[in-house]
Amino acid sequence: MAALYWEAFGRKLGPALDPPDKARAFLAAHLRHDRGVVALVGGEVAGVAGYRLGGHGLTGGGAGDVLSSYGILRGLPRLALLALMERRPAAGELVMDGIAVAPEHRGRGIGARLLREIAGVAADHSCRRVRLDVIDTNPRARALYERHGFTAVRTEKTPYLRDLMGFGAVTTMHRPVAPADSPHHPEAR
């Protein structure tokens, strides 16, 4: 899971967690399996979608973990970069912590299935909506989200991040959660 997550988000997370081998190890050591849904194909991880709920997200690790892994001098600037990416859920909201599908499995509906599962988790936790952020350099992901009921609510220009992290704007999207999104609802999918 950590390797797949890194493949999808390494460009964005790289300045905070590089070098790649150390970053993948850090992610693997701090994954919270209770904050993600996984798609398996033939017993292999084909996709993962993380979420933040109840103060925890798929990718864990606090300030102490970063400082322990990278040292104080290298860790402090990394913490500043990671703080830029921190997203906390509002009341009644589940925040997606990222979605990744292995390249060989893209275009097979796995991303759509993961989004439905995330909506089900949100419904089961009585959330009113799912929130996510999508960067301007990922129009394919934005189109997927729009096809699955997400609407853009605001776009924040981030030109100071273009050279450092490879994107210049972040769009926040919301999707309402209905009781029927729960796999336990009588009208469930």
Side-chain angles (χ1 to χ4, degrees), residues 1-179:
M1 281 181 31
L4 179 58
Y5 198 85
W6 179 255
E7 185 216 323
F9 300 106
R11 180 171 175 166
K12 183 167 82 169
L13 295 173
L17 296 178
D18 270 342
D21 288 345
K22 187 168 191 128
R24 283 189 293 272
F26 182 85
L27 289 172
H30 299 288
L31 281 175
R32 290 193 53 116
H33 300 293
D34 64 336
R35 291 296 186 262
V37 294
V38 176
L40 299 174
V41 173
E44 299 290 322
V45 175
V48 61
Y51 59 90
R52 180 164 288 283
L53 188 65
H56 300 287
L58 174 66
T59 53
D65 298 312
V66 173
L67 296 176
S68 175
S69 293
Y70 292 93
I72 292 176
L73 290 178
R74 290 191 172 117
L76 288 174
R78 292 167 194 278
L79 287 173
L81 289 172
L82 291 169
L84 288 173
M85 294 180 258
E86 183 65 28
R87 298 166 299 156
R88 299 195 187 279
E93 180 177 74
L94 178 145
V95 174
M96 280 193 55
D97 218 9
I99 183 171
V101 176
E104 64 274 17
H105 295 291
R106 291 182 187 148
R108 297 181 182 174
I110 290 172
R113 178 68 182 181
L114 289 169
L115 288 173
R116 285 193 300 275
E117 292 296 321
I118 290 289
V121 169
D124 286 349
H125 284 86
S126 302
C127 294
R128 294 184 312 273
R129 73 177 178 210
V130 176
R131 184 182 95 209
L132 59 79
D133 294 316
V134 62
I135 58 176
D136 60 345
T137 57
N138 198 350
R140 185 175 176 182
R142 182 173 175 158
L144 172 69
Y145 303 145
E146 288 172 341
R147 284 193 309 272
H148 291 278
F150 287 87
T151 56
V153 295
R154 74 177 166 278
T155 299
E156 180 182 349
K157 303 278 186 201
T158 56
Y160 52 91
L161 294 178
R162 181 154 315 273
D163 289 338
L164 182 63
M165 298 178 130
F167 61 91
V170 177
T171 298
T172 298
M173 303 182 82
H174 291 168
R175 178 199 182 278
V177 175

